[in-house]
Amino acid sequence: MPEGDTVWQAARRLHTALAGKVLTRSDLRVPKYALTDLTGRTVLDVTSRGKHLLTRIEGGLTLHSHLRMDGSWKVFANDERWTGGPAHQIRAVLGAHDRTAVGYRLPVLELLHTADEERVVGHLGPDLLGPDWDPDQALANLLADPARPLGEALLDQRNLAGIGNVYKCELCFLLGATPWLPVGALPADRAAKLPALAKKLLEVNRDRPIRTTTGGRGRGPDLFVYGRAPRPCLRCGTSVRAADQGDGSRDRPTYWCPACQTGPAPAPGSAPTRRVRPRPAN
C-alpha cells in the first residue's frame, strides 16, 4: 500500500533512472495527453510531496502522478521485460537511452506547468519526509479539530503529508490510543510525541524494502496491529480487532488492540459511527 515512504522510494528510483537524461521515449496513455510528446526534453528531477510524485521536465513542465491504493512506477533496463502488470494497465512510459520508467494503474496523471505545482500539492500539510517538515505546525493542524477521531485526522493530508492506513494504525497503537479517540482527548504528553514518532517511522522505513514498525526486520512480525486481526497482540496477547473507519465517503480497515489502546471503539459486530466530513485530501 503506497504511503509516504513508498512514494519517496519511487521518487528516488525515478530520479536515479531519469534525472539529467534526455527522453527518447514518451507515451502518456490517458486520453487528454494521448498526442503529447515529451521526447527530446531533459528530465530535471523527480521528487515526492507527501503521496504525490512530481517529475519535472525541461521547458517548465511537471508530470504529476499519484499512486492511490495500487498504482506503481517501475524502472527497467531497456533490454528488460516489463513486469509491473498487464499492458492495458500502463498509463505512462518515460524512456531514456538506458532506462525506461513505466507507470502502472496510475489513477492520477496530469501534465502541468511547473509554476502551477501548488495547484496540486499546495493544500498539503508539512511533509514528513520533505524539507518543509514542521512538527509544531503538523501538531497544530491535527489539534485544530479536537473532536475529530485521531485516525481520521492522521489520514488527512492537509494536516501532515505522508501517513496512510498502515501508519495510522501503527501510530495509534504506539500512542496507546484507539483510532476513534477524539484527537483533542489525546493526553498532552502523547500528543507532543506524535509528530516526531510519525517522522521516525517513515524515515526508518524509506530505505527498507519491507516496512516494519516493530524492529522485526525478518526476525518476527513486522507490524504491531495492522493486518493482524484476530491474532494476539505482540505486547499483551489480547486478540487484535478490526473494523472499518471512515468519514462517510470511504472506509478503511482499521486494526487496534482493545487492551493496549484506550478510547472509544466500535462494539463487536457493529459498524462504527461516522461523522460526515469532506473526504480527506490526498
Side-chain angles (χ1 to χ4, degrees), residues 60-80:
L61 297 175
T62 294
L63 185 64
H64 166 235
S65 58
H66 195 295
L67 306 181
R68 293 273 172 87
M69 294 298 290
D70 61 350
S72 68
W73 279 96
K74 303 287 186 180
V75 175
F76 304 98
N78 285 347
D79 59 352
E80 190 176 1

Side-chain angles (χ1 to χ4, degrees), residues 163-256:
I163 292 177
N165 204 39
V166 176
Y167 282 123
K168 176 198 81 172
C169 297
E170 296 297 291
L171 272 169
C172 288
F173 177 82
L174 292 169
L175 291 168
T178 71
W180 290 272
L181 180 76
V183 66
L186 189 66
D189 60 331
R190 295 187 224 174
K193 296 176 183 177
L194 193 161
L197 180 58
K199 182 174 178 61
K200 180 180 180 181
L201 288 181
L202 266 71
E203 279 192 332
V204 299
N205 281 294
R206 68 183 183 183
D207 293 316
R208 291 176 177 171
I210 299 176
R211 182 184 294 140
T212 178
T213 59
T214 63
R217 304 184 69 177
R219 298 186 297 273
D222 293 310
L223 302 173
F224 282 107
V225 290
Y226 187 85
R228 288 187 50 79
R231 285 173 285 178
C233 171
L234 297 178
R235 282 185 177 171
C236 73
T238 302
S239 292
V240 172
R241 288 182 55 194
D244 286 339
Q245 183 179 33
D247 61 0
S249 63
R250 175 173 52 181
D251 296 331
R252 297 172 188 262
T254 298
Y255 302 85
W256 78 101

Side-chain angles (χ1 to χ4, degrees), residues 6-20:
T6 310
V7 178
W8 189 92
Q9 291 172 7
R12 183 175 61 176
R13 287 195 303 271
L14 291 171
H15 184 87
T16 300
L18 298 176

